[in-house]
Amino acid sequence: MTPHPPPTTRGPDLPRLYTFRRCPYAMRARMALLQAERAFEAVEVSLRDKPASLLALSSKATVPVLQLPDGSVIEESWDIMRWALAAPDAQGWWSRAQLPANLDLLQRNDGDFKHHLDRWKYPQRYANETLTPDAHRDSALEVLLKPLEARLHSAPWLGGATPCATDLAVMPFVRQFAAVEPEWFATLDLQSVRSWLNGWLGSPLFLACMHKLPAEGATRFPLL
């Protein structure tokens, strides 16, 4: 996907990210912008009372949404990551993410894993499901976490010796999965995944991305 054509009016002076602190899609966008040292301002979105400016920019009105200074809009988290990291990509964060194995993990994460994670974490939202929450939990393990463990057993990051955009894209969802039942997650045979996850959770990049924004207005987001 590519950004929308610029409208007739200018955008903000800095790229403006509409975000929600706990949303994993928004986390991956914020981390990519920070890693790329892209100055941006951010608006914390209340999911129950979305700002009119967001509704005017995006028909989907779900975070993250990035408005560029030329007025164009990027509505998907992976596309925001591409915009942040792909040019000039001097450190290879984007190019390493384009390896077939990493694109496969991204598809698994954003597809079946997210499907099963939601139905395990929020069973009350899916009252008509035929599978039990625990069945969805077990399917999530099979579709992503076991393949991820195999990958991380042989290299510390999905980029190999150094991280890549896929690490940033997948980690927030693994964090969400691990937080549903932390004591149970700690018993799983996923030692490499836990080490990788804990490393990211304590990293300056993740801690910076979790900067708490004011409830209203656009605020320049602090860089690393």
Side-chain angles (χ1 to χ4, degrees), residues 31 41 50 68 78 85 103 108 111 118-119 135 180 205 208:
M31 284 193 291
E41 61 184 28
K50 296 177 182 178
L68 302 179
W78 187 244
L85 294 166
L103 292 174
R108 287 169 176 267
D118 285 348
R119 284 155 180 78
V180 179
L205 178 59

Side-chain angles (χ1 to χ4, degrees), residues 65-164:
V65 169
L66 184 69
Q67 184 184 20
L68 302 179
D70 67 1
S72 58
V73 176
I74 309 177
E75 295 187 284
E76 300 293 340
S77 60
W78 187 244
D79 292 332
I80 294 171
M81 296 182 75
R82 177 189 292 116
W83 179 85
L85 294 166
D89 197 23
Q91 298 179 352
W93 278 75
W94 185 253
S95 59
R96 290 191 295 275
Q98 306 315 301
L99 296 174
N102 282 337
L103 292 174
D104 175 67
L105 276 178
L106 178 72
Q107 183 178 24
R108 287 169 176 267
N109 180 83
D110 289 11
D112 288 345
F113 181 73
K114 181 66 165 61
H115 172 90
H116 293 301
L117 170 58
D118 285 348
R119 284 155 180 78
W120 179 42
K121 183 176 173 63
Y122 307 109
Q124 68 278 8
R125 299 182 186 176
Y126 302 96
N128 296 325
E129 276 292 311
T130 55
L131 294 178
T132 66
D134 284 356
H136 283 294
R137 177 198 68 186
D138 295 344
S139 293
L141 277 171
E142 293 296 329
V143 75
L144 180 72
L145 293 176
K146 288 184 178 180
L148 183 61
E149 175 69 17
R151 285 285 308 281
L152 295 172
H153 185 70
S154 58
W157 292 285
L158 297 177
T162 51
C164 71

Side-chain angles (χ1 to χ4, degrees), residues 138-217:
D138 295 344
S139 293
L141 277 171
E142 293 296 329
V143 75
L144 180 72
L145 293 176
K146 288 184 178 180
L148 183 61
E149 175 69 17
R151 285 285 308 281
L152 295 172
H153 185 70
S154 58
W157 292 285
L158 297 177
T162 51
C164 71
T166 314
D167 291 272
L168 303 185
V170 171
M171 185 276 290
F173 296 87
V174 178
R175 170 186 178 269
Q176 194 175 64
F177 183 93
V180 179
E181 291 184 8
E183 293 180 358
W184 170 81
F185 184 77
T187 68
L188 298 176
D189 188 18
L190 297 174
Q191 186 172 0
S192 298
V193 168
R194 281 194 298 274
S195 177
W196 169 84
L197 176 61
N198 289 336
W200 279 114
L201 295 181
S203 69
L205 178 59
F206 180 73
L207 296 174
C209 109
M210 296 303 287
H211 171 75
K212 194 167 185 179
L213 292 166
E216 296 182 359

